[in-house]
Amino acid sequence: MKSATAENTQDVTSLDDFLVDNGAGWRLAMTRTTCGVAAGTRPVIIVPGYGMNSFIFGFHPGGPSLAQCLAARGLEVWTVDLRGQGKSICTTGTKRYGIAELAVEDIGAAVRHVLATTNTGACKVDLIGCSLGTALAFAHVACVPNAPVEAIVSMAGLVTWKEVHPIVRWVSASPRLAGMLRFKNTRHMARIALPVIATIAPSILSVYLNHRSSDLSQASRMVQTVEDPHPMMNREIAEWIQRGDLVVRGVNVSRKLGELKNPLFCIVANNDGIVTPATSRHTYDAIGSSRKELLIVGDRDMPIAHGDLFVCRGAQERIFMPIADFLLQT
């Protein structure tokens, strides 16, 4: 089993890029990060959340990224841009899609490609779900019989809304209105606004990024992970918040959690204003797995918000390495 420190992980990785047909008229962008694969490991797929792409998994403002840290420990790490994200390409497909399409078709296509291409020889993958990516990972396992998925890592993720931040509740108050709103050039606007806000009023960002915990001087680079909100997804998420339970294609994923035995590593950000700690932790409490661990990150002196999990100071030791430890031991 390999070990690595945060200092020696940036210059030992190799990258391979792929475009993967999802069977629905989209080619999903995937990147494999490796620096030698440890025996007996499974490939790991990192699944982005809502309004983001996979850029942030390969970036950290002060050291090795999540993907680099995991690869340095001997894991074969894959990142994926689902439809509408990052470098994925719409060929003949529709731009009308929701949670079900991302969870079932897109993750399914990514898993099949990884298992057909991996150098590990494994017959299952591990999934790291980030925010909404956790819901997509569990929806995939719940909806796809015998899905070849072993462990799941939840990074500020959720399946059931147990507690909703007032700002999130206000934004989602009307599913119909949420589904009508259209935003374009969000990344460009964020590139202009975020560095300014980070300089003159960083507390405004604190529900998502906390200036006390993360270096925001490279905010103009961080926004490369930002994607435009999607109207159909907006409506579905608003309906999900009002309902509480996650329901995908008639399957109540929330209720099915108790039947699932996938090993789970649940990471909760103590100052998360997007997915509150109570909501994020609920997945850990509800899952039927006998192999599960809970990591609560942050304290009074270093509050960790939603996005801080990927870019905060010391993320390598606090978050990335514990993920690697769990996956290597599972």
Side-chain angles (χ1 to χ4, degrees):
M1 183 180 299
K2 293 192 173 189
S3 63
T5 64
E7 289 77 18
N8 63 8
T9 57
Q10 285 183 302
D11 57 358
V12 295
T13 55
S14 63
L15 302 177
D16 301 293
D17 294 322
F18 303 84
L19 284 173
V20 179
D21 187 352
N22 75 343
W26 284 79
R27 302 185 73 193
L28 310 179
M30 298 193 71
T31 297
R32 174 169 55 189
T33 304
T34 57
C35 62
V37 177
T41 58
R42 293 178 297 273
V44 181
I45 305 175
I46 310 178
V47 182
Y50 183 55
M52 67 181 293
N53 57 49
S54 64
F55 169 81
I56 206 68
F57 309 142
F59 170 82
H60 188 280
S65 67
L66 171 60
Q68 289 171 327
C69 284
L70 299 184
R73 294 290 301 278
L75 292 167
E76 183 182 279
V77 183
W78 293 78
T79 59
V80 58
D81 287 330
L82 307 175
R83 67 184 81 183
Q85 297 176 343
K87 297 180 180 179
S88 290
I89 300 170
C90 181
T91 52
T92 61
T94 175
K95 295 188 178 181
R96 287 185 55 83
Y97 55 83
I99 291 174
E101 287 73 26
L102 302 183
V104 179
E105 279 86 20
D106 286 10
I107 291 183
V111 169
R112 288 190 296 274
H113 173 79
V114 167
L115 291 178
T117 312
T118 180
N119 294 320
T120 66
C123 59
K124 287 186 177 182
V125 304
D126 295 332
L127 298 178
I128 298 177
C130 305
S131 190
L132 179 68
T134 295
L136 300 178
F138 275 107
H140 182 81
V141 171
C143 294
V144 178
N146 302 313
V149 174
E150 185 67 19
I152 297 176
V153 176
S154 170
M155 297 186 70
L158 77 160
V159 175
T160 307
W161 292 93
K162 300 301 292 184
E163 178 184 274
V164 184
H165 191 281
I167 294 176
V168 177
R169 186 176 294 281
W170 178 77
V171 170
S172 62
S174 172
R176 182 173 177 273
L177 180 60
M180 294 172 61
L181 295 177
R182 295 180 180 274
F183 299 89
K184 292 186 177 181
N185 301 315
T186 308
R187 186 182 305 161
H188 177 70
M189 290 185 289
R191 183 172 285 114
I192 295 172
L194 190 57
V196 175
I197 297 172
T199 300
I200 66 175
S203 60
I204 294 176
L205 299 174
S206 62
V207 296
Y208 190 81
L209 284 171
N210 199 299
H211 69 285
R212 293 166 59 191
S213 306
S214 296
D215 177 6
L216 303 184
S217 65
Q218 296 191 51
S220 59
R221 292 188 64 194
M222 294 181 195
V223 299
Q224 292 184 56
T225 202
V226 174
E227 296 289 352
D228 289 337
H230 187 277
M232 186 171 170
M233 293 283 291
N234 290 344
R235 190 191 73 239
E236 287 191 355
I237 292 172
E239 293 171 345
W240 174 22
I241 291 172
Q242 293 191 358
R243 184 175 58 242
D245 285 2
L246 175 62
V247 179
V248 176
R249 293 186 177 170
V251 176
N252 189 312
V253 181
S254 297
R255 294 180 185 174
K256 201 163 183 178
L257 273 178
E259 303 173 16
L260 299 180
K261 306 302 181 184
N262 303 79
L264 172 68
F265 189 46
C266 182
I267 304 171
V268 175
N270 78 314
N271 201 47
D272 198 331
I274 306 300
V275 178
T276 62
T279 289
S280 187
R281 179 188 173 127
H282 181 263
T283 305
Y284 168 85
D285 293 330
I287 195 168
S289 175
S290 60
R291 177 75 168 93
K292 58 182 180 179
E293 293 184 20
L294 177 67
L295 175 63
I296 300 176
V297 185
D299 52 36
R300 177 179 292 185
D301 296 328
M302 189 174 180
I304 300 296
H306 199 69
D308 291 321
L309 288 179
F310 308 99
V311 295
C312 72
R313 299 179 184 90
Q316 295 80 10
E317 293 78 15
R318 290 170 175 260
I319 302 163
F320 303 164
M321 292 304 178
I323 292 174
D325 288 340
F326 179 83
L327 295 177
L328 289 167
Q329 294 165 10
T330 300

Short mmCIF file of all heavy atoms in Angstrom, two decimals, residues 131 154-158 163 165 206-210 213-214 265-282 294-300 302-312 318-319:
data_model
loop_
_atom_site.label_atom_id
_atom_site.label_comp_id
_atom_site.label_asym_id
_atom_site.label_seq_id
_atom_site.Cartn_x
_atom_site.Cartn_y
_atom_site.Cartn_z
N SER A 131 -21.70 16.95 -2.80
CA SER A 131 -22.97 17.65 -2.70
C SER A 131 -24.06 16.84 -3.42
O SER A 131 -24.32 15.69 -3.04
CB SER A 131 -22.84 19.06 -3.27
OG SER A 131 -23.96 19.84 -3.00
N SER A 154 -19.39 10.49 0.76
CA SER A 154 -20.25 11.67 0.67
C SER A 154 -19.48 12.88 1.17
O SER A 154 -19.09 12.94 2.33
CB SER A 154 -21.52 11.47 1.51
OG SER A 154 -22.25 12.69 1.61
N MET A 155 -19.26 13.85 0.29
CA MET A 155 -18.59 15.10 0.66
C MET A 155 -19.64 16.22 0.67
O MET A 155 -20.05 16.70 -0.38
CB MET A 155 -17.46 15.43 -0.31
CG MET A 155 -16.34 14.41 -0.33
SD MET A 155 -14.93 14.92 -1.36
CE MET A 155 -14.25 16.28 -0.37
N ALA A 156 -20.09 16.58 1.88
CA ALA A 156 -21.16 17.57 2.03
C ALA A 156 -22.36 17.18 1.17
O ALA A 156 -23.00 18.03 0.57
CB ALA A 156 -20.66 18.97 1.67
N GLY A 157 -22.64 15.88 1.15
CA GLY A 157 -23.70 15.36 0.31
C GLY A 157 -24.98 15.12 1.08
O GLY A 157 -25.06 15.31 2.30
N LEU A 158 -25.98 14.67 0.35
CA LEU A 158 -27.27 14.42 0.97
C LEU A 158 -28.09 13.46 0.14
O LEU A 158 -27.84 13.26 -1.04
CB LEU A 158 -28.07 15.72 1.13
CG LEU A 158 -28.73 16.29 -0.14
CD1 LEU A 158 -29.85 17.24 0.24
CD2 LEU A 158 -27.72 17.00 -1.03
N GLU A 163 -32.96 19.33 7.29
CA GLU A 163 -32.90 20.71 7.76
C GLU A 163 -32.44 21.56 6.59
O GLU A 163 -31.46 21.22 5.93
CB GLU A 163 -31.92 20.81 8.94
CG GLU A 163 -31.76 22.21 9.49
CD GLU A 163 -30.70 22.24 10.59
OE1 GLU A 163 -31.05 21.96 11.74
OE2 GLU A 163 -29.52 22.51 10.26
N HIS A 165 -31.34 25.35 5.11
CA HIS A 165 -30.90 26.70 5.42
C HIS A 165 -31.96 27.69 4.91
O HIS A 165 -32.53 27.50 3.84
CB HIS A 165 -29.56 26.97 4.74
CG HIS A 165 -28.90 28.23 5.20
ND1 HIS A 165 -29.27 29.48 4.74
CD2 HIS A 165 -27.88 28.44 6.09
CE1 HIS A 165 -28.51 30.40 5.31
NE2 HIS A 165 -27.66 29.80 6.13
N SER A 206 -19.77 33.30 3.17
CA SER A 206 -19.47 32.33 4.22
C SER A 206 -20.37 31.10 4.23
O SER A 206 -19.99 30.08 4.81
CB SER A 206 -19.53 33.00 5.60
OG SER A 206 -20.84 33.51 5.86
N VAL A 207 -21.56 31.15 3.61
CA VAL A 207 -22.38 29.93 3.56
C VAL A 207 -21.78 28.91 2.61
O VAL A 207 -22.10 27.72 2.69
CB VAL A 207 -23.84 30.24 3.13
CG1 VAL A 207 -24.52 31.11 4.15
CG2 VAL A 207 -23.90 30.85 1.74
N TYR A 208 -20.91 29.37 1.72
CA TYR A 208 -20.30 28.47 0.73
C TYR A 208 -18.78 28.38 0.87
O TYR A 208 -18.21 27.29 0.84
CB TYR A 208 -20.65 28.92 -0.69
CG TYR A 208 -20.27 27.91 -1.74
CD1 TYR A 208 -21.09 26.81 -1.99
CD2 TYR A 208 -19.08 28.02 -2.46
CE1 TYR A 208 -20.74 25.86 -2.94
CE2 TYR A 208 -18.73 27.08 -3.41
CZ TYR A 208 -19.55 26.00 -3.64
OH TYR A 208 -19.19 25.05 -4.56
N LEU A 209 -18.12 29.51 1.01
CA LEU A 209 -16.67 29.57 1.19
C LEU A 209 -16.36 30.51 2.34
O LEU A 209 -16.88 31.64 2.37
CB LEU A 209 -15.98 30.08 -0.08
CG LEU A 209 -15.83 29.12 -1.26
CD1 LEU A 209 -15.31 29.89 -2.48
CD2 LEU A 209 -14.88 27.98 -0.93
N ASN A 210 -15.53 30.07 3.27
CA ASN A 210 -15.21 30.90 4.42
C ASN A 210 -13.79 31.44 4.31
O ASN A 210 -12.83 30.65 4.22
CB ASN A 210 -15.38 30.10 5.72
CG ASN A 210 -15.50 31.00 6.92
OD1 ASN A 210 -14.59 31.76 7.22
ND2 ASN A 210 -16.64 30.92 7.60
N SER A 213 -10.97 30.09 6.43
CA SER A 213 -10.51 28.72 6.23
C SER A 213 -9.87 28.48 4.88
O SER A 213 -9.05 27.57 4.74
CB SER A 213 -11.70 27.76 6.40
OG SER A 213 -12.35 27.97 7.63
N SER A 214 -10.24 29.26 3.88
CA SER A 214 -9.75 29.05 2.52
C SER A 214 -9.08 30.30 1.98
O SER A 214 -9.50 31.42 2.28
CB SER A 214 -10.90 28.64 1.58
OG SER A 214 -11.45 27.40 1.96
N PHE A 265 -18.35 6.58 3.74
CA PHE A 265 -17.56 7.56 4.47
C PHE A 265 -18.27 8.90 4.29
O PHE A 265 -18.33 9.43 3.19
CB PHE A 265 -16.13 7.62 3.93
CG PHE A 265 -15.20 8.45 4.75
CD1 PHE A 265 -15.16 8.33 6.13
CD2 PHE A 265 -14.33 9.34 4.15
CE1 PHE A 265 -14.27 9.09 6.90
CE2 PHE A 265 -13.43 10.10 4.90
CZ PHE A 265 -13.41 9.97 6.28
N CYS A 266 -18.83 9.42 5.37
CA CYS A 266 -19.65 10.63 5.30
C CYS A 266 -18.90 11.80 5.89
O CYS A 266 -18.55 11.80 7.08
CB CYS A 266 -20.96 10.38 6.07
SG CYS A 266 -22.12 11.77 6.02
N ILE A 267 -18.64 12.81 5.06
CA ILE A 267 -17.89 14.00 5.48
C ILE A 267 -18.87 15.17 5.60
O ILE A 267 -19.56 15.52 4.63
CB ILE A 267 -16.77 14.33 4.49
CG1 ILE A 267 -15.84 13.12 4.32
CG2 ILE A 267 -15.99 15.55 4.95
CD1 ILE A 267 -14.84 13.28 3.22
N VAL A 268 -18.92 15.75 6.78
CA VAL A 268 -19.84 16.85 7.07
C VAL A 268 -19.03 18.12 7.35
O VAL A 268 -18.09 18.09 8.15
CB VAL A 268 -20.72 16.52 8.29
CG1 VAL A 268 -21.60 17.71 8.67
CG2 VAL A 268 -21.56 15.28 8.03
N ALA A 269 -19.38 19.20 6.68
CA ALA A 269 -18.74 20.50 6.93
C ALA A 269 -19.51 21.20 8.05
O ALA A 269 -20.72 21.42 7.95
CB ALA A 269 -18.75 21.35 5.67
N ASN A 270 -18.81 21.58 9.11
CA ASN A 270 -19.50 22.05 10.32
C ASN A 270 -20.23 23.38 10.14
O ASN A 270 -21.16 23.69 10.90
CB ASN A 270 -18.51 22.19 11.48
CG ASN A 270 -17.66 23.45 11.40
OD1 ASN A 270 -17.13 23.79 10.34
ND2 ASN A 270 -17.52 24.16 12.52
N ASN A 271 -19.84 24.16 9.12
CA ASN A 271 -20.45 25.48 8.92
C ASN A 271 -21.10 25.58 7.54
O ASN A 271 -21.16 26.65 6.95
CB ASN A 271 -19.38 26.58 9.07
CG ASN A 271 -19.97 27.93 9.38
OD1 ASN A 271 -20.82 28.05 10.25
ND2 ASN A 271 -19.51 28.95 8.69
N ASP A 272 -21.61 24.45 7.06
CA ASP A 272 -22.19 24.37 5.71
C ASP A 272 -23.54 25.09 5.66
O ASP A 272 -24.46 24.74 6.39
CB ASP A 272 -22.36 22.90 5.31
CG ASP A 272 -22.54 22.71 3.82
OD1 ASP A 272 -23.05 23.63 3.16
OD2 ASP A 272 -22.16 21.64 3.31
N GLY A 273 -23.64 26.07 4.77
CA GLY A 273 -24.90 26.79 4.61
C GLY A 273 -25.68 26.35 3.39
O GLY A 273 -26.75 26.90 3.11
N ILE A 274 -25.19 25.36 2.67
CA ILE A 274 -25.91 24.83 1.50
C ILE A 274 -26.57 23.51 1.87
O ILE A 274 -27.79 23.35 1.75
CB ILE A 274 -24.96 24.65 0.30
CG1 ILE A 274 -24.23 25.97 -0.01
CG2 ILE A 274 -25.73 24.17 -0.92
CD1 ILE A 274 -25.13 27.13 -0.37
N VAL A 275 -25.76 22.55 2.28
CA VAL A 275 -26.27 21.28 2.82
C VAL A 275 -25.93 21.30 4.31
O VAL A 275 -24.77 21.08 4.68
CB VAL A 275 -25.65 20.07 2.11
CG1 VAL A 275 -26.18 18.77 2.71
CG2 VAL A 275 -25.96 20.12 0.61
N THR A 276 -26.90 21.57 5.14
CA THR A 276 -26.63 21.76 6.56
C THR A 276 -26.06 20.48 7.18
O THR A 276 -26.29 19.38 6.67
CB THR A 276 -27.92 22.13 7.31
OG1 THR A 276 -28.85 21.06 7.19
CG2 THR A 276 -28.53 23.41 6.75
N PRO A 277 -25.32 20.61 8.28
CA PRO A 277 -24.76 19.42 8.92
C PRO A 277 -25.79 18.35 9.25
O PRO A 277 -25.52 17.16 9.08
CB PRO A 277 -24.10 19.99 10.19
CG PRO A 277 -23.70 21.38 9.80
CD PRO A 277 -24.80 21.86 8.90
N ALA A 278 -26.98 18.74 9.69
CA ALA A 278 -28.01 17.75 10.02
C ALA A 278 -28.45 16.98 8.78
O ALA A 278 -28.68 15.76 8.84
CB ALA A 278 -29.22 18.43 10.67
N THR A 279 -28.57 17.68 7.66
CA THR A 279 -28.97 17.02 6.42
C THR A 279 -27.87 16.12 5.90
O THR A 279 -28.12 14.99 5.46
CB THR A 279 -29.35 18.08 5.37
OG1 THR A 279 -30.59 18.69 5.76
CG2 THR A 279 -29.52 17.47 3.99
N SER A 280 -26.64 16.61 5.94
CA SER A 280 -25.51 15.82 5.44
C SER A 280 -25.29 14.57 6.29
O SER A 280 -25.05 13.48 5.76
CB SER A 280 -24.24 16.69 5.43
OG SER A 280 -23.17 16.03 4.82
N ARG A 281 -25.41 14.70 7.60
CA ARG A 281 -25.17 13.56 8.50
C ARG A 281 -26.27 12.51 8.39
O ARG A 281 -26.03 11.33 8.67
CB ARG A 281 -25.07 14.05 9.94
CG ARG A 281 -24.84 12.89 10.90
CD ARG A 281 -24.92 13.26 12.35
NE ARG A 281 -24.85 12.05 13.15
CZ ARG A 281 -24.00 11.84 14.13
NH1 ARG A 281 -23.15 12.77 14.46
NH2 ARG A 281 -24.01 10.70 14.79
N HIS A 282 -27.46 12.90 8.00
CA HIS A 282 -28.59 11.96 7.99
C HIS A 282 -28.30 10.74 7.14
O HIS A 282 -28.75 9.63 7.46
CB HIS A 282 -29.85 12.66 7.49
CG HIS A 282 -31.05 11.76 7.47
ND1 HIS A 282 -31.47 11.10 6.33
CD2 HIS A 282 -31.88 11.36 8.46
CE1 HIS A 282 -32.52 10.36 6.62
NE2 HIS A 282 -32.79 10.49 7.89
N LEU A 294 -17.94 8.53 10.03
CA LEU A 294 -18.39 9.92 9.97
C LEU A 294 -17.21 10.82 10.31
O LEU A 294 -16.52 10.62 11.31
CB LEU A 294 -19.52 10.15 10.97
CG LEU A 294 -20.05 11.58 11.11
CD1 LEU A 294 -20.77 12.01 9.82
CD2 LEU A 294 -20.99 11.69 12.31
N LEU A 295 -16.99 11.83 9.45
CA LEU A 295 -15.93 12.82 9.69
C LEU A 295 -16.56 14.20 9.65
O LEU A 295 -17.07 14.62 8.61
CB LEU A 295 -14.83 12.71 8.63
CG LEU A 295 -13.72 13.77 8.69
CD1 LEU A 295 -12.94 13.65 10.00
CD2 LEU A 295 -12.79 13.65 7.49
N ILE A 296 -16.55 14.88 10.79
CA ILE A 296 -17.05 16.25 10.85
C ILE A 296 -15.84 17.17 10.81
O ILE A 296 -14.96 17.10 11.67
CB ILE A 296 -17.88 16.49 12.12
CG1 ILE A 296 -19.09 15.55 12.13
CG2 ILE A 296 -18.35 17.95 12.18
CD1 ILE A 296 -19.93 15.64 13.39
N VAL A 297 -15.79 18.03 9.81
CA VAL A 297 -14.63 18.88 9.56
C VAL A 297 -14.94 20.32 9.95
O VAL A 297 -15.99 20.85 9.58
CB VAL A 297 -14.21 18.82 8.08
CG1 VAL A 297 -12.92 19.60 7.87
CG2 VAL A 297 -14.04 17.38 7.63
N GLY A 298 -14.01 20.93 10.67
CA GLY A 298 -14.16 22.34 11.03
C GLY A 298 -14.41 22.52 12.51
O GLY A 298 -14.88 21.62 13.20
N ASP A 299 -14.09 23.71 12.99
CA ASP A 299 -14.34 24.06 14.38
C ASP A 299 -14.54 25.57 14.47
O ASP A 299 -14.64 26.26 13.45
CB ASP A 299 -13.18 23.61 15.28
CG ASP A 299 -11.81 24.08 14.78
OD1 ASP A 299 -11.73 25.21 14.26
OD2 ASP A 299 -10.84 23.31 14.91
N ARG A 300 -14.59 26.11 15.69
CA ARG A 300 -14.86 27.54 15.85
C ARG A 300 -13.77 28.39 15.22
O ARG A 300 -14.03 29.43 14.62
CB ARG A 300 -14.98 27.87 17.34
CG ARG A 300 -15.19 29.36 17.61
CD ARG A 300 -15.34 29.65 19.09
NE ARG A 300 -16.59 29.10 19.60
CZ ARG A 300 -17.02 29.28 20.85
NH1 ARG A 300 -16.26 29.96 21.71
NH2 ARG A 300 -18.16 28.76 21.25
N MET A 302 -11.70 27.46 12.77
CA MET A 302 -11.58 27.21 11.34
C MET A 302 -12.90 26.62 10.83
O MET A 302 -13.01 25.43 10.59
CB MET A 302 -10.42 26.26 11.03
CG MET A 302 -10.13 26.14 9.54
SD MET A 302 -8.63 25.15 9.25
CE MET A 302 -8.56 25.21 7.45
N PRO A 303 -13.91 27.46 10.67
CA PRO A 303 -15.21 26.98 10.18
C PRO A 303 -15.11 26.54 8.73
O PRO A 303 -14.50 27.23 7.90
CB PRO A 303 -16.13 28.18 10.35
CG PRO A 303 -15.21 29.37 10.32
CD PRO A 303 -13.92 28.91 10.92
N ILE A 304 -15.70 25.39 8.43
CA ILE A 304 -15.65 24.85 7.08
C ILE A 304 -17.06 24.90 6.46
O ILE A 304 -18.00 24.31 7.00
CB ILE A 304 -15.13 23.40 7.09
CG1 ILE A 304 -13.73 23.34 7.68
CG2 ILE A 304 -15.13 22.82 5.67
CD1 ILE A 304 -12.67 24.08 6.91
N ALA A 305 -17.17 25.62 5.37
CA ALA A 305 -18.44 25.71 4.64
C ALA A 305 -18.43 24.71 3.48
O ALA A 305 -17.51 23.91 3.33
CB ALA A 305 -18.66 27.14 4.16
N HIS A 306 -19.45 24.79 2.67
CA HIS A 306 -19.71 23.79 1.62
C HIS A 306 -18.51 23.62 0.69
O HIS A 306 -17.97 22.51 0.55
CB HIS A 306 -20.94 24.21 0.83
CG HIS A 306 -21.58 23.13 0.04
ND1 HIS A 306 -22.25 22.07 0.62
CD2 HIS A 306 -21.69 22.93 -1.30
CE1 HIS A 306 -22.74 21.28 -0.31
NE2 HIS A 306 -22.40 21.76 -1.48
N GLY A 307 -18.09 24.69 0.07
CA GLY A 307 -17.00 24.60 -0.90
C GLY A 307 -15.62 24.50 -0.30
O GLY A 307 -14.66 24.12 -0.98
N ASP A 308 -15.51 24.81 1.00
CA ASP A 308 -14.21 24.74 1.65
C ASP A 308 -13.63 23.33 1.67
O ASP A 308 -12.42 23.15 1.77
CB ASP A 308 -14.32 25.22 3.11
CG ASP A 308 -14.59 26.71 3.22
OD1 ASP A 308 -14.02 27.47 2.42
OD2 ASP A 308 -15.38 27.10 4.09
N LEU A 309 -14.49 22.31 1.59
CA LEU A 309 -14.01 20.93 1.64
C LEU A 309 -12.97 20.64 0.57
O LEU A 309 -12.13 19.76 0.73
CB LEU A 309 -15.18 19.95 1.50
CG LEU A 309 -16.13 19.84 2.70
CD1 LEU A 309 -17.24 18.86 2.40
CD2 LEU A 309 -15.38 19.43 3.96
N PHE A 310 -13.00 21.37 -0.53
CA PHE A 310 -12.10 21.11 -1.66
C PHE A 310 -10.90 22.04 -1.68
O PHE A 310 -9.88 21.70 -2.28
CB PHE A 310 -12.86 21.22 -2.98
CG PHE A 310 -14.10 20.39 -3.03
CD1 PHE A 310 -15.34 20.95 -2.79
CD2 PHE A 310 -14.02 19.02 -3.26
CE1 PHE A 310 -16.49 20.17 -2.80
CE2 PHE A 310 -15.16 18.24 -3.26
CZ PHE A 310 -16.40 18.81 -3.03
N VAL A 311 -11.01 23.21 -1.03
CA VAL A 311 -9.96 24.22 -1.20
C VAL A 311 -9.45 24.81 0.10
O VAL A 311 -8.62 25.71 0.08
CB VAL A 311 -10.45 25.37 -2.12
CG1 VAL A 311 -10.72 24.87 -3.52
CG2 VAL A 311 -11.70 26.05 -1.53
N CYS A 312 -9.91 24.31 1.25
CA CYS A 312 -9.49 24.93 2.51
C CYS A 312 -8.03 24.64 2.81
O CYS A 312 -7.42 23.71 2.26
CB CYS A 312 -10.37 24.45 3.66
SG CYS A 312 -10.11 22.74 4.17
N ARG A 318 -6.63 17.02 6.42
CA ARG A 318 -7.91 16.98 7.11
C ARG A 318 -8.95 16.13 6.39
O ARG A 318 -9.79 15.49 7.04
CB ARG A 318 -8.47 18.40 7.26
CG ARG A 318 -7.73 19.29 8.22
CD ARG A 318 -8.23 20.72 8.08
NE ARG A 318 -7.65 21.60 9.06
CZ ARG A 318 -8.25 22.00 10.18
NH1 ARG A 318 -9.47 21.56 10.45
NH2 ARG A 318 -7.66 22.80 11.03
N ILE A 319 -8.92 16.17 5.05
CA ILE A 319 -10.03 15.59 4.28
C ILE A 319 -9.56 14.56 3.26
O ILE A 319 -10.05 13.43 3.23
CB ILE A 319 -10.82 16.72 3.57
CG1 ILE A 319 -11.32 17.72 4.62
CG2 ILE A 319 -11.97 16.14 2.76
CD1 ILE A 319 -11.73 19.05 4.03
#
